[in-house]
Each structure stands twice: as structure tokens, then as C-alpha cells.
Amino acid sequence: MSGNTEDPLAGSSMDVDRAALRHHGDVEAQPGLADFAVNVRADRPPRWLRDRLVAALDKLGRYPSAQDDADARASAAARHSRRPDEVMVLNGAAEGFALLPALKPRLAAVIHPSFTEPEVALTDADVPVVRVLLDDHTLASAEVPDEADLVVIGNPTNPTSVLHPADAVRALARPGRVLVVDEAFADTIPGEPESLAGDTTPGLLVLRSLTKTWSLPGLRAGYALGAPELLARLGLRRPQWPVNALVLEAVRACCEPGAVAEAEAVARALEEHRARFAKALGELPGVTVAEPARAPFLLLHVPGASVLRERLRTKGFAVRRADTFPGLTPDHLRVAVRAPDQSAPLLAALRELLEETTP
């Protein structure tokens, strides 16, 4: 099937469209609800990482130094077999998206359904954006305009949980084009098989996050990987001391070999949990699970999903509405993968609600 660049939100006002694009799972995950709306592994970082961050608190009495930044970049560079000057430490991958307008693209193409912050950042900066909607959630249906000099894609993609082949993603690169690959969830897949983090394709910019695996959404820590001249353009208007001492310590700590090994073990466990969860969800009446899924979340198609989501809230569960992702509908939901003992109550609540509405 061929790709479609029609805007599924056309007809609504720009303000409403922007509000939809700025909707994220944290809005759904209110206190007191079992959280299946946010794709963060746990409710706090592991003990060893908390200890590292606590020890770094004494650094808050001075400005982050060039050496602090160099140490963090060296750790990330070693993790991905790159040079330190090919790393830029960020306040989360989201800062990388916010910086994209500094690249001054003439036309940006955002491949959807996907994380919506890149489109928000670009449109807010008056950069023309074309949406490339994937009919089957795979790149085989992508029709990226040749004139697009900036292309954004997630891999694995949020919310579809699709992992695109590295060769297919790399094939989107062109002379004079910046190819931005959002790899916020790459470390949740055992072996990171399709990651381009160590790739030096011209124009490639890879964004990585520590938020998901290391449960650090409140810190905002990540980094960008790319050619030094590309990173220099990206960060041209950043302020002095752009990231704080705790972010630098987190990047350094989470890129060390022991942490990478721990992340791999976590990814293997998540893979088992996802397979079990997907099978159970697929056996519920009216539920279709988007497959193949590789990330720690699942996209569901359920008739009447918007009503179902609200009824789940009354039973104590938060799941993510997915109609705010271009290309999806009110009949879509996204659910985070949790351990079987955590997901069992949600499955029971879903079964009860769906059987009530199934003839």
C-alpha cells in the first residue's frame, strides 16, 4: 500500500491540533491509578543509580565544567563505539527535538504514527511539515518527498511498537538531508539489533534517552549522536551550561559497561513480558494487537476504545488514548508492558468490561 500524506486532523483548528499533539501519557497517569499509560519501566531509578545521583549532589555548588561534560560524552561515546565529539548531552531526547529548528530545514517530513513532539517543535518554528502516514506501520509504505531536507522517524516507533530494519531507515538518508532517528526505546530491545547509534551515515542524527529503562522522567537525561558539525549546528543557540550536574552524572553512569549489561537483562525480561501480555490481550473479545511488536508497549485496536478507557479509569487503571497520534483513531489505545503480576488485574478488568459490551 502506498503512503498517505493527508493530515488526519485536517478540519480542526491549529490550536486544537497542537493540543492533541502535546497530549502524552503522563496526563492519563493520575495518582491512585495503576499506570499503563506511561512507558517508563519503574516508579524510581534502581538503587545504585540513585546512590550515584545522591553522591553527585555536592557538585551542585559549582557550575558544570568542561571536564564534566567531556566525561559524560566519553562514556556515551564508548558505549556506542564513537568519538566524544560525536556526542551532545541533552536534557532528555525531547530537547533534541526542540533544537531541530536550529537546523533551518526548508521542508520537514515526520513519519507517523509516531511521537508527536518533533512535529510540535517544527511547526511552532514555522517550519513546513509534511506528515508521511504509514498505512501498515512499516516503512514499505513510506512516501517521503524528495525535497524534504529533514526527516524524523522513531525506531522502535511509539506508539506502534514496530522496529524498522536498520537498512530501511538508513535508506531514507540523502545528500543534503538530516535524518533524525528517535531511539528513545532502543535499549529496551535485547541486543539493540536495528540501532543506528554507532552508524556514521552522512546527515544521520540519533537521539537517545535514559528515561525509559532507567526510570528518570523527572531528571530529563539523554544525548544526541552525530557528526560534530551537525551537532554544532543543532546546539548553536543553547545557553551556557545547558545541562546540570545530575544529568551529566546520569549519562556517565548509565553508559558504563555494568549498566549496559543490566539494561540488556531488563530488555530480555521485557521481551518475555510483552509476548505474554500481547497473547493475553489478543484473546480478549474485540481486541486486535498491532504486531509484530518489539517495544515495551502495545498498540490496541478496540471498537469503542475511548469509552473503554474512561471505564477503565473508574476501575483504577490508566491507559493511553492513541487518537492524538496522526494516523490513528478513537478506537486505538496504547498500553505499557508490565510484569505479569501487574498486568493480570488490568487483563481481568478489560475482560469484564468487554464481555459486558459483547453480544
Side-chain angles (χ1 to χ4, degrees):
M1 301 177 68
S2 62
N4 179 7
T5 57
E6 179 184 354
D7 185 347
L9 297 175
S12 58
S13 72
M14 182 178 297
D15 289 341
V16 172
D17 187 34
R18 188 180 189 280
L21 295 176
R22 294 308 302 262
H23 181 92
H24 300 296
D26 60 313
V27 176
E28 317 258 7
Q30 297 298 312
L33 298 177
D35 180 11
F36 288 82
V38 174
N39 298 319
V40 174
R41 176 168 65 100
D43 60 0
R44 66 193 67 183
R47 169 63 65 182
W48 69 265
L49 181 53
R50 297 205 303 275
D51 290 344
R52 287 282 293 264
L53 294 174
V54 168
L57 287 174
D58 287 342
K59 296 181 179 181
L60 298 183
R62 62 177 177 82
Y63 291 99
S65 69
Q67 188 59 52
D68 294 331
D69 178 65
D71 290 344
R73 289 188 294 106
S75 186
R79 191 235 194 276
H80 299 291
S81 300
R82 301 193 71 136
R83 302 192 315 268
D85 63 352
E86 296 175 322
V87 180
M88 175 188 289
V89 180
L90 299 169
N91 292 294
E95 187 196 7
F97 301 133
L99 294 174
L100 291 180
L103 300 178
K104 298 183 178 179
R106 294 182 301 277
L107 176 66
V110 181
I111 296 177
H112 282 298
S114 66
F115 187 55
T116 51
E117 283 300 313
E119 180 170 330
V120 171
L122 291 163
T123 55
D124 281 356
D126 296 323
V127 175
V129 174
V130 60
R131 292 176 176 175
V132 179
L133 300 184
L134 303 183
D135 294 329
D136 52 4
H137 304 328
T138 68
L139 283 180
S141 64
E143 293 183 358
V144 178
D146 290 338
E147 61 270 27
D149 55 352
L150 188 145
V151 175
V152 184
I153 183 171
N155 202 33
T157 297
N158 174 17
T160 63
S161 204
V162 167
L163 181 64
H164 303 293
D167 287 344
V169 176
R170 191 184 295 108
L172 296 173
R174 299 282 189 281
R177 170 184 289 176
V178 175
L179 173 60
V180 182
V181 184
D182 172 12
E183 291 195 358
F185 293 95
D187 64 348
T188 68
I189 300 174
E192 302 186 12
E194 307 300 340
S195 172
L196 293 179
D199 195 289
T200 57
T201 296
L204 177 65
L205 180 67
V206 177
L207 300 179
R208 301 281 296 214
S209 171
L210 305 185
T211 298
K212 321 305 178 184
T213 292
W214 300 114
S215 305
L216 290 173
L219 183 58
R220 315 308 306 129
Y223 49 91
L225 302 164
E229 58 273 17
L230 179 57
L231 295 181
R233 290 171 55 204
L234 186 71
L236 183 62
R237 292 183 175 84
R238 294 181 94 196
Q240 185 68 289
W241 315 289
V243 295
N244 64 59
L246 297 184
V247 170
L248 294 171
E249 183 66 22
V251 170
R252 182 177 178 180
C254 294
C255 289
E256 291 174 352
V260 174
E262 182 177 328
E264 177 70 11
V266 168
R268 289 196 297 269
L270 280 171
E271 188 171 54
E272 295 176 5
H273 297 338
R274 185 192 62 251
R276 181 171 174 175
F277 193 30
K279 182 177 185 298
L281 286 166
E283 292 172 349
L284 296 176
V287 176
T288 301
V289 181
E291 294 279 10
R294 296 295 304 275
F297 48 85
L298 296 166
L299 179 65
L300 311 182
H301 182 273
V302 192
S306 57
V307 174
L308 178 64
R309 179 174 57 88
E310 293 301 327
R311 296 189 67 190
L312 281 171
R313 293 183 69 83
T314 67
K315 290 183 173 292
F317 300 94
V319 297
R320 171 55 155 103
R321 62 182 286 197
D323 60 318
T324 59
F325 292 100
L328 300 183
T329 74
D331 289 333
H332 285 96
L333 296 172
R334 191 195 70 193
V335 293
V337 171
R338 305 287 186 230
D341 62 326
Q342 296 174 286
S343 58
L346 173 65
L347 288 165
L350 276 169
R351 182 173 292 279
E352 178 184 346
L353 291 173
L354 290 168
E355 287 179 348
E356 287 177 2
T357 57
T358 301

